[in-house]
Amino acid sequence: MATDLSILGEVLVISSLFLLGIGYLLSERGHTFLGKYFPKKIGHQISILGWICLGLFWWIEVEYYILIQDPVNALICAAALPFFGYLAYHEYLSIIWKESYEPLRWLAAMTVVAGGIYFFVERVPLLAGWFIHLVAEQSVWFLHIFDLETSLGAIDYGEGSRYYRSGSEHEEVRVAVEADGWKDPLAPSVNIVLACTALQSMIIFVGGVICTKAPFRSRLNGFLVTVPPIYVLNLIRNAVVIWLTYEHVWGDDTFYWAHAVYAKIGSLIALVILAIAVFHFLPEMQDSILGVIDLPLREAQEKNQYTLPLAKGMPNTVIYILILGLILFPFGASANSVSSQGINVDWPLEEMYILSLVLLFISAFLLFFYRDPYREIQKGIVSPADGLVQEATMKNGMVRISIFMNLQNVHVNRSPIKGRIISQKHKPGGYSPAFSKDSDKNERLITKLDTKLGTVKMTQIAGFLVRRIVSYVKPESKVRKGERLGLIHFGSRVDLAFEESGIELKVKKGDRILAGQTIAIFTPMSELSTVEKVVEAPKRIISKLKATANEEAKNVTNIIYNIHDSVINRSNLAPEKKKK
């Protein structure tokens, strides 16, 4: 993959920095260019592409770290796409919420500055060689202070062009450090490479300081308390590692402990101290960092703002499965390339590939199921769900409509009409398929709305799989027509019941409909002519009486059933009492 995708990797990294830079500039305010106006959302759209390109670039780098058997950095690169995808998601929120998030813009600008400096130096061997040699020279100065004579070899540029070299070639520029007379014969040689220059640490602070919106003096102080100390401390670090290694202090493991353990721990402590110092002089930078950390807590200024077209109440497990699949995929995708290079790696790459495909397939299916797309809300009484009309009747003064939702349908349910939630009642029940007649006994949630039609009863019936109903509303809350009321997990059904007075049905059994589509029209008496009122009034009165009588009959039946169940329970208890 490193060879085949090297050009793609270069395109991705350069494109990402260019797109993030343009996105940052355009997302600050609207711009007019060549007579055409570009709104702020254009900047956020460009930034979305920039974050995704950056994540894909690091995804490609996973194979290199597999080859050098560095699992930590390989895992970090594999997690880059989910992470940068999350940042792209927040750029999307900035578009639909019509509000920029300044910490995210700061992070984009810092990425452009820091990444631009590092990749420019790293990709141009002549520039990298000059900087490495400069650091190596100044590092050995500290050894000369203690009379430890040390010399430097010539700059080793490796194979390839000295003017530009893609990252996939991974030919590090290096400068060898030689001890004159005091090196232990068993000690390995030490080379200074770009990673030994502290360039990464310095450019992070440079990018953070420059891109922070603060007075120039504050930013200058922030720069002075971080970058020069980092540079000097790194020279001391290099000198100590060279001395410990060539003195062979801890035997063959000296370089490992000096460079990979103690030096890294010391660098981490120094960076924490310097971060505290820069926060003192530049509190605006601290606010930006905390704002990035608080991204999961970000909320829209207005309540009920739309986010992704996914159902509210979707289990977080779906996202975890997707993230795990995305992390495992580049490991598995590198299996053939690694084996073709004759390198043996004790990692189950092929198994990881199969597992990643399974996880990605499952997550794609679940995301499809939990989708919540835009629906046009039409006039009249609208459908509460997508699906197949199983029943559409007008009988005994009542309209009854039943809509079956299959697995491929959207399972978010909406209010059929404007009104107020009177009550909600959850009833446990069986687990029959939602399309069967026995599903009338399934678990259900009955919601009653007070509307201009009177009482509208909406019953959400669970199917035989997950059997879980999520409600988005509470009693006494007011709802708009077409507003989302809840979600039923997997195969399910929604029933509507309301008075037929003044109703004209627009659907029939067997129709396939979408949520928000007109299923009935209600014509109030006030819109009828005098002659129509004379004809229609008796019909509506009779219809209301039938509906009321039917409802009362149901209530009486329920009371009788309750008394019947109570008597049976008491009769079952009687023999037990006699025995006692």
Side-chain angles (χ1 to χ4, degrees):
M1 185 191 297
T3 302
D4 297 339
L5 299 180
S6 59
I7 297 177
L8 177 60
E10 295 304 297
V11 171
L12 286 173
V13 68
I14 295 172
S15 299
S16 66
L17 297 176
F18 176 76
L19 291 171
L20 287 173
I22 298 298
Y24 172 80
L25 295 174
L26 294 181
S27 63
E28 183 176 11
R29 55 183 175 82
H31 289 75
T32 301
F33 182 71
L34 297 177
K36 186 175 181 180
Y37 179 73
F38 294 90
K40 289 172 57 176
K41 72 174 185 178
I42 298 294
H44 294 297
Q45 291 170 344
I46 294 174
S47 294
I48 289 175
L49 295 176
W51 290 123
I52 293 176
C53 286
L54 191 58
L56 290 172
F57 163 74
W58 287 113
W59 232 30
I60 293 174
E61 295 295 300
V62 170
E63 183 184 321
Y64 167 70
Y65 291 105
I66 293 175
L67 294 174
I68 65 174
Q69 299 193 25
D70 185 346
V72 175
N73 280 316
L75 183 62
I76 292 173
C77 289
L81 186 59
F83 174 72
F84 290 118
Y86 181 69
L87 298 182
Y89 162 67
H90 277 278
E91 296 283 1
Y92 170 76
L93 291 183
S94 297
I95 296 172
I96 61 176
W97 290 352
K98 297 180 180 179
E99 56 183 35
S100 297
Y101 191 66
E102 284 304 318
L104 183 58
R105 295 185 68 250
W106 168 83
L107 183 63
M110 189 198 76
T111 302
V112 172
V113 173
I117 295 174
Y118 180 79
F119 284 112
F120 179 68
V121 174
E122 195 252 355
R123 293 297 195 268
V124 181
L126 282 175
L127 184 58
W130 168 80
F131 188 55
I132 292 169
H133 192 271
L134 175 66
V135 171
E137 275 187 333
Q138 295 174 351
S139 296
V140 299
W141 286 352
F142 287 93
L143 295 173
H144 293 163
I145 293 174
F146 296 95
D147 295 328
L148 297 172
E149 293 300 324
T150 310
S151 59
L152 299 177
I155 301 174
D156 181 6
Y157 291 101
E159 297 181 0
S161 171
R162 296 187 181 187
Y163 299 100
Y164 185 84
R165 190 178 299 169
S166 66
S168 62
E169 296 179 36
H170 295 294
E171 287 283 345
E172 282 193 307
V173 181
R174 64 188 69 233
V175 173
V177 179
E178 296 295 338
D180 299 334
W182 58 277
K183 175 185 175 184
D184 189 289
L186 298 177
S189 298
V190 175
N191 294 291
I192 302 296
V193 296
L194 190 62
C196 303
T197 62
L199 178 63
Q200 292 174 323
S201 299
M202 288 189 291
I203 61 174
I204 288 174
F205 280 100
V206 168
V209 169
I210 291 177
C211 300
T212 299
K213 292 184 177 181
F216 174 77
R217 186 175 183 81
S218 299
R219 286 186 287 171
L220 179 61
N221 290 334
F223 175 86
L224 293 177
V225 299
T226 53
V227 176
I230 289 175
Y231 185 79
V232 174
L233 290 173
N234 181 68
L235 298 178
I236 297 173
R237 167 190 173 277
N238 289 341
V240 171
V241 170
I242 294 170
W243 174 71
L244 289 173
T245 302
Y246 282 173
E247 288 286 356
H248 212 49
V249 176
W250 299 303
D252 294 339
D253 295 329
T254 299
F255 180 77
Y256 170 77
W257 285 102
H259 175 266
V261 180
Y262 295 123
K264 290 189 181 297
I265 293 174
S267 299
L268 180 61
I269 294 172
L271 288 176
V272 171
I273 295 173
L274 292 174
I276 295 173
V278 76
F279 293 160
H280 173 75
F281 290 100
L282 200 60
E284 294 88 351
M285 183 174 170
Q286 181 184 11
D287 294 338
S288 297
I289 294 174
L290 294 177
V292 173
I293 295 173
D294 289 340
L295 269 176
L297 305 178
R298 182 186 178 191
E299 295 181 351
Q301 293 181 356
E302 299 180 11
K303 293 184 178 180
N304 300 320
Q305 281 274 35
Y306 193 62
T307 55
L308 279 179
L310 295 173
K312 180 182 176 183
M314 180 185 74
N316 291 332
T317 309
V318 178
I319 303 299
Y320 300 150
I321 293 173
L322 175 62
I323 292 174
L324 184 58
L326 290 173
I327 290 175
L328 292 178
F329 182 80
F331 286 94
S334 302
N336 291 335
S337 178
V338 172
S339 61
S340 66
Q341 297 179 52
I343 298 175
N344 295 322
V345 180
D346 295 330
W347 300 358
L349 297 180
E350 293 184 358
E351 290 79 1
M352 294 169 79
Y353 184 60
I354 295 173
L355 179 59
S356 68
L357 292 179
V358 172
L359 292 175
L360 290 174
F361 175 79
I362 293 173
S363 61
F365 168 75
L366 292 174
L367 289 172
F368 174 78
F369 174 82
Y370 285 110
R371 70 194 187 282
D372 182 15
Y374 168 79
R375 288 288 182 257
E376 179 186 357
I377 309 303
Q378 299 179 356
K379 64 179 182 178
I381 303 164
V382 299
S383 172
D386 294 14
L388 176 68
V389 178
Q390 287 187 317
E391 179 185 2
T393 60
M394 299 176 70
K395 187 177 179 181
N396 295 328
M398 296 293 292
V399 176
R400 301 188 186 281
I401 299 174
S402 180
I403 302 169
F404 169 66
M405 293 174 287
N406 213 328
L407 282 177
Q408 76 271 17
N409 294 124
V410 174
H411 281 60
V412 175
N413 305 141
R414 297 172 181 261
S415 175
I417 193 170
K418 178 183 178 181
R420 177 179 61 87
I421 305 294
I422 301 174
S423 64
Q424 282 189 311
K425 186 175 183 180
H426 177 267
K427 286 188 175 183
Y431 311 123
S432 301
F435 55 81
S436 69
K437 293 182 178 180
D438 293 335
S439 64
D440 290 336
K441 300 176 182 178
N442 278 11
E443 178 180 345
R444 65 194 54 223
L445 179 66
I446 302 171
T447 303
K448 291 185 177 181
L449 294 91
D450 180 23
T451 71
K452 63 182 180 181
L453 306 177
T455 300
V456 174
K457 184 168 74 172
M458 174 174 157
T459 305
Q460 297 166 281
I461 303 173
F464 69 97
L465 285 176
V466 179
R467 305 187 296 274
R468 184 175 170 224
I469 303 171
V470 177
S471 177
Y472 299 164
V473 294
K474 295 180 179 179
E476 299 304 321
S477 59
K478 294 181 179 181
V479 294
R480 305 182 305 275
K481 182 173 71 173
E483 182 177 337
R484 296 168 179 83
L485 297 185
L487 164 73
I488 312 177
H489 294 266
F490 295 96
S492 44
R493 200 178 87 201
V494 177
D495 293 345
L496 283 182
F498 50 89
E499 294 180 10
E500 70 172 14
S501 176
I503 297 297
E504 178 187 358
L505 276 180
K506 293 295 184 181
V507 293
K508 61 183 183 299
K509 183 178 179 180
D511 288 349
R512 293 191 178 275
I513 57 176
L514 299 177
Q517 183 177 330
T518 301
I519 57 175
I521 296 292
F522 170 67
T523 305
M525 290 289 289
S526 59
E527 295 183 7
L528 299 177
S529 65
T530 304
V531 176
E532 289 174 330
K533 288 179 181 178
V534 172
V535 176
E536 189 69 18
K539 294 180 180 180
R540 296 198 179 190
I541 292 173
I542 294 173
S543 175
K544 284 184 174 291
L545 290 174
K546 286 182 179 180
T548 304
N550 187 52
E551 191 65 27
E552 291 295 334
K554 282 189 175 182
N555 292 336
V556 171
T557 302
N558 290 334
I559 293 172
I560 292 173
Y561 276 125
N562 291 335
I563 294 173
H564 177 262
D565 293 340
S566 178
V567 171
I568 290 177
N569 291 335
R570 287 177 179 273
S571 64
N572 290 336
L573 289 173
E576 295 294 330
K577 289 183 178 179
K578 287 180 179 180
K579 288 180 182 179
K580 290 182 179 180

